[in-house]
Amino acid sequence: MGVDFSQFSLEGKTAVLIGGAGAIGLAAARGLATVGAHAVVCDVTQEKADVGAAQLKAHGLSAEGVAVDALSKESLIACRDFVSDAHGTIDILVNLVGGNLPEASTTDGRTFFDLPLDAFEKAVAITLFGGAILPTQVFLERMVDNPDGGTVVNTASMNAIRPLTRIPGYSSAKAAVANFTQWLAVHVAQEYTPKVRVNAVAPGFFVTDQNRYLLYDRETGGLTDRGQTVVDHTPMRRMGNPEDVAGAVCWLASSASGFVTGIVVPVDGGFSAFSGV
């Protein structure tokens, strides 16, 4: 018997991507829409969400943009209700919000002992509360009633598996996202329905606007010392591309992973498997 590739189809499904207008978010949205889902690209401004959705629609994919503040429960509820009213069930939630603050990072001039608590709190708020807890509180309240269930895909990080130097606030928050993903998978299955699955992807090193000049020299365009160290410790010998995450997200969102819940999938070119020797 051949492989049943229909398991990977998301035809007729509605996918909401919180923080979906970023590079990884748009790649995930494009992947989900390519296999049949309607992608609701949500971001902090309507303009940013619309620009992201327009990129998908330009390729003939089904998408729309919705403004949402991931740190506002009221904003998330308004987004949920709008999408529910327009499309019925929400089948897939992808949480992509997260970020670090310079003030929550150590540098040559800022030691760990100098880091202010409010910077830590902001990093955790953005990455854990906005990046996982609040959206799932709001959207899962409806998703647990779906006759066919649903899927949640959180975005953890390599920092959750192999903490990196300099960024304790972000690393701590991403580790919490990974742990929360496992907790929520068990809680939802035991207390509500096993038809709703919760998993996460853990991207390795991807070049974004936030980290570009930590990895690549602004003047020469070549790798910085930190960027070279990353590549040296990545067995596949390159940085990741946003499209590398899309396949894992599509798999976790589809019935092809129907017996998979509570896992964190590294998408890292082997970085987490390499000891350095």
Side-chain angles (χ1 to χ4, degrees):
M1 180 181 292
V3 178
D4 180 10
F5 287 105
S6 67
Q7 294 181 93
F8 293 91
S9 173
L10 297 174
E11 197 69 38
K13 304 292 187 182
T14 299
V16 173
L17 298 98
I18 309 294
I24 291 177
L26 276 180
R30 189 178 303 113
L32 293 167
T34 297
V35 291
H38 174 71
V40 183
V41 178
C42 303
D43 221 292
V44 68
T45 68
Q46 189 64 52
E47 180 183 11
K48 192 172 182 180
D50 285 342
V51 168
Q55 292 185 37
L56 274 63
K57 290 190 282 188
H59 290 87
L61 300 173
S62 180
E64 66 184 299
V66 177
V68 70
D69 178 356
L71 284 171
S72 165
K73 200 165 186 179
E74 292 74 18
S75 178
L76 288 161
I77 290 170
C79 174
R80 180 199 67 190
D81 291 350
F82 172 80
V83 177
S84 293
D85 290 345
H87 302 287
T89 60
I90 296 169
D91 307 287
I92 301 158
L93 174 66
V94 185
N95 288 314
L96 296 136
V97 171
N100 192 37
L101 282 77
E103 297 83 5
S105 305
T106 62
T107 65
D108 291 341
R110 186 189 302 114
T111 73
F112 168 73
F113 307 107
D114 299 323
L115 299 180
L117 179 60
D118 64 340
F120 261 91
E121 290 174 335
K122 288 177 182 177
V124 172
I126 294 167
T127 303
L128 175 59
F129 301 144
I133 293 176
L134 286 174
T136 53
Q137 277 190 319
V138 170
F139 283 86
L140 270 184
E141 190 173 16
R142 292 281 179 85
M143 292 172 70
V144 294
D145 293 326
N146 290 353
D148 296 327
T151 58
V152 175
V153 182
N154 290 326
T155 306
S157 169
M158 202 41 44
N159 290 274
I161 300 170
R162 302 286 295 273
L164 307 181
T165 60
R166 303 185 187 178
I167 49 176
Y170 183 74
S171 293
S172 300
K174 282 298 189 181
V177 170
N179 185 277
F180 173 70
T181 296
Q182 294 177 308
W183 179 88
L184 187 62
V186 174
H187 180 73
V188 171
Q190 291 185 335
E191 301 292 332
Y192 296 94
T193 172
K195 292 183 178 181
V196 171
R197 299 179 295 107
V198 184
N199 295 291
V201 291
F205 291 87
F206 292 74
V207 181
T208 66
D209 290 340
Q210 189 176 70
N211 69 10
R212 183 177 306 277
Y213 296 116
L214 289 173
L215 301 174
Y216 288 93
D217 186 90
R218 191 184 298 269
E219 301 296 328
T220 67
L223 289 167
T224 62
D225 289 345
R226 190 174 178 86
Q228 188 63 56
T229 299
V230 168
V231 172
D232 289 344
H233 286 76
T234 301
M236 292 185 72
R237 305 293 297 171
R238 66 174 176 87
M239 302 289 182
N241 298 312
E243 292 75 16
D244 293 325
V245 180
V249 171
C250 289
W251 173 64
L252 291 172
S254 75
S255 61
S257 61
F259 198 51
V260 177
T261 196
I263 70 165
V264 179
V265 181
V267 185
D268 65 348
F271 183 90
S272 60
F274 183 43
S275 68
V277 295

